[in-house]
Amino acid sequence: MWLYLAALLGLYFLRRWYRERQSVEGLPEKYVLITGCDSGFGNLLAKPLDARGLRVLAACLTQQGAEQLRKATSQRLQTVILDVTRTDSIAAATAWVKEQVGDKGAGFKL
């Protein structure tokens, strides 16, 4: 029984080691848009993606949230104010994203 558990544990750590070694090439040229970056999951996701070298486009609801996030991250991370309940805010954020990404975002559609 102990041998079986040790084998399972070994397989688990082997799989984990293998997954952590996986990487995506060209991260500095890749963009990711994350909404809800004032706090919560969006904020928690934006910071490590920025640290890994991605160009994070972080959408925040408030100016205060955007400023706090910028202080905690590198210059690669850019913020935009976005209220997803307002059509004009969505349109402005969409235009901003297209401007930031340029021709690298050929597949970006809304």
Side-chain angles (χ1 to χ4, degrees):
M1 167 107 174
W2 289 107
L3 185 58
Y4 178 72
L5 290 175
L8 283 178
L9 189 60
L11 285 173
Y12 168 77
F13 283 114
L14 182 63
R15 180 179 179 269
R16 184 173 166 188
W17 171 82
Y18 177 76
R19 287 183 52 92
E20 288 176 0
R21 291 191 38 126
Q22 301 298 308
S23 64
V24 176
E25 293 191 21
L27 285 181
E29 291 86 41
K30 304 224 184 280
Y31 289 83
V32 60
L33 172 65
I34 306 171
T35 60
C37 290
D38 293 82
S39 62
F41 183 75
N43 186 283
L44 292 173
L45 179 61
K47 291 174 184 176
L49 291 182
D50 172 62
R52 292 194 77 171
L54 278 104
R55 295 176 182 253
V56 177
L57 305 176
C60 298
L61 181 60
T62 66
Q63 189 65 37
Q64 180 183 11
E67 289 173 11
Q68 289 175 350
L69 184 59
R70 277 194 303 265
K71 287 179 185 176
T73 57
S74 76
Q75 299 221 357
R76 280 184 307 276
L77 184 136
Q78 300 294 317
T79 60
V80 64
I81 303 302
L82 172 63
D83 182 348
V84 297
T85 65
R86 294 182 36 225
T87 305
D88 61 326
S89 181
I90 294 169
T94 301
W96 178 84
V97 168
K98 288 180 179 180
E99 179 182 309
Q100 296 298 312
V101 175
D103 61 355
K104 293 181 182 177
F108 176 73
K109 295 182 180 161
L110 184 71

